[in-house]
Amino acid sequence: MYVLEVMSGPLDGKTWTFDREITIGRDDSVATACITIDRYISRKHAHLAEESGELRLTDLASRNGTQLDGHPVTGSEPISVGQPFSVGRTLLRVVRNEGDRAA
């Protein structure tokens, strides 16, 4: 299990837990991680998913893009646990859930 955490931005400190995948956006009807107050985030902005034991970050054709290591995410890119990325003006990272004993 993972935790998506806001590192800086309008919802600093907010977290969402997820098992295998989560969608990030401004509209809670299509996004599990809903960040409504960052107007630079699209309705359905980005997606994180575990595939074959690897986390992958995908930009969902958002207006302002998704950034990983200062570069735009194109397609689906691998992301490490703890590696910061940004959507709109919000900086996020994924960490393992502290209750998760599997490494």
Side-chain angles (χ1 to χ4, degrees):
M1 184 175 283
Y2 299 98
V3 176
L4 176 63
E5 174 184 36
V6 177
M7 296 175 63
S8 71
L11 293 177
D12 192 13
K14 172 80 175 147
T15 61
W16 298 268
T17 57
F18 66 102
D19 288 321
R20 295 213 168 267
E21 63 182 320
I22 192 167
T23 301
I24 304 160
R26 242 181 343 117
D27 184 341
D28 64 2
S29 69
V30 293
T32 309
C34 187
I35 306 171
T36 58
I37 57 179
D38 184 341
R39 64 185 183 145
Y40 294 93
I41 294 178
S42 296
R43 186 173 166 266
K44 191 173 178 183
H45 196 104
H47 186 256
L48 279 162
E50 183 184 61
E51 298 173 10
S52 303
E54 176 180 68
L55 274 176
R56 300 195 67 84
L57 176 63
T58 306
D59 181 77
L60 300 175
S62 66
R63 178 178 295 240
N64 293 303
T66 301
Q67 300 280 320
L68 180 64
D69 292 332
H71 302 292
V73 172
T74 56
S76 176
E77 296 189 21
I79 185 170
S80 301
V81 170
Q83 185 176 12
F85 65 97
S86 61
V87 295
R89 293 190 173 172
T90 301
L91 185 64
L92 302 153
R93 71 176 174 177
V94 176
V95 295
R96 290 212 183 268
N97 189 341
E98 291 179 10
D100 188 8
R101 300 289 180 223

